[in-house]
């Protein structure tokens, strides 16, 4: 009787292992790889650098093909436009990096051009920003603070298009405009 019980248990164990081997493996939201001190440069069709991204750490998740970043820094290297940098405490990118979500202490900076009085530095601060890299657009649906020289503008929601150099604030807009110094003296 003991031999029959042991044999039955053995066959049940083999059958359950065989069935588990044929089942699709359960994929959890665990990283399959990570990179520390990550840096990437995107090139255009001519091989010219147009975009650079770096982070202290990158983690990739195979279940949804997403990537998270610690202290990401993104730099637009388009020579036809002023230098634009975007940094945050953390970020998350979807499949193929078409959308990058930036969180906590987000700062977008467009460099001054033509001297400090011609076009001063533009700074946009928020706690969240969505970067659409193919469109060269940054958006936020959260409160933003925009500094342009000595002028300050606040509001909720914004869209910054680096290609067209257009900035739109969506709602609850308040500001203090300081006229630039007179160039003629």
């Amino acid at each position: 009787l003991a031999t029959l019980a042991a044999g039955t248990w053995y066959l049940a164990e083999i059958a359950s292992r065989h069935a588990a081997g044929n089942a699709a493996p359960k994929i959890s939201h665990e990283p399959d790889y990570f990179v520390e001190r990550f840096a990437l440069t995107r090139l255009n069709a001519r091989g010219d650098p147009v975009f650079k991204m770096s982070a202290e750490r990158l983690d990739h998740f195979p279940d949804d093909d997403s990537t998270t970043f610690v202290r990401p820094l993104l730099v637009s290297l388009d020579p036809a436009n002023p230098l634009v940098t975007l940094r945050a405490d953390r970020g998350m990118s979807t499949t193929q990096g078409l959308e990058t979500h930036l969180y906590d202490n987000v700062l977008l900076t467009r460099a001054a051009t033509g001297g400090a009085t011609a076009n001063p530095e533009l700074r946009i601060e928020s706690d969240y920003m969505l970067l659409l890299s193919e469109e060269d657009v940054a958006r936020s649906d959260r409160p933003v603070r925009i500094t342009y020289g000595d002028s300050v503008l606040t509001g909720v929601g914004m869209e910054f298009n680096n290609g067209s150099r257009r900035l739109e604030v969506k709602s609850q807009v308040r500001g203090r405009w300081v006229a630039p110094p007179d160039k003629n003296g």
Side-chain angles (χ1 to χ4, degrees), residues 28-49:
S28 64
H29 193 68
E30 295 291 327
D32 59 346
Y33 65 86
F34 70 92
V35 180
E36 292 185 345
R37 291 177 294 284
F38 159 80
L40 163 82
T41 301
R42 181 182 287 179
L43 307 175
N44 63 16
R46 293 186 315 265
D48 301 322

Side-chain angles (χ1 to χ4, degrees), residues 6-7 27 50 71 73 77 79 87 89 92 113 126 128 130 167:
I27 299 176
V50 293
R71 300 211 192 299
L73 171 64
L77 302 173
R87 65 181 72 235
D89 289 347
M92 193 276 296
T113 59
S126 185
Y128 168 77
L130 169 63
L167 172 63

Side-chain angles (χ1 to χ4, degrees), residues 18-75:
H18 181 68
N22 290 339
K26 184 177 178 183
I27 299 176
S28 64
H29 193 68
E30 295 291 327
D32 59 346
Y33 65 86
F34 70 92
V35 180
E36 292 185 345
R37 291 177 294 284
F38 159 80
L40 163 82
T41 301
R42 181 182 287 179
L43 307 175
N44 63 16
R46 293 186 315 265
D48 301 322
V50 293
F51 179 80
K52 181 180 178 182
M53 180 177 189
S54 61
E56 287 182 14
R57 182 179 171 105
L58 167 153
D59 288 288
H60 179 264
F61 298 88
D63 62 325
D64 61 359
D65 198 24
S66 66
T67 306
T68 61
F69 307 99
V70 175
R71 300 211 192 299
L73 171 64
L74 302 99
V75 181

Side-chain angles (χ1 to χ4, degrees), residues 117-128:
T117 58
N119 287 307
E121 177 182 78
L122 172 72
R123 295 172 52 95
I124 304 172
E125 301 169 71
S126 185
D127 66 350
Y128 168 77

Side-chain angles (χ1 to χ4, degrees), residues 113-148:
T113 59
T117 58
N119 287 307
E121 177 182 78
L122 172 72
R123 295 172 52 95
I124 304 172
E125 301 169 71
S126 185
D127 66 350
Y128 168 77
M129 234 176 260
L130 169 63
L131 176 65
L132 304 169
S133 60
E134 294 293 315
E135 299 172 37
D136 209 8
V137 168
R139 289 185 185 137
S140 182
D141 59 357
R142 312 259 176 91
V144 295
R145 177 182 169 86
I146 301 161
T147 309
Y148 183 71

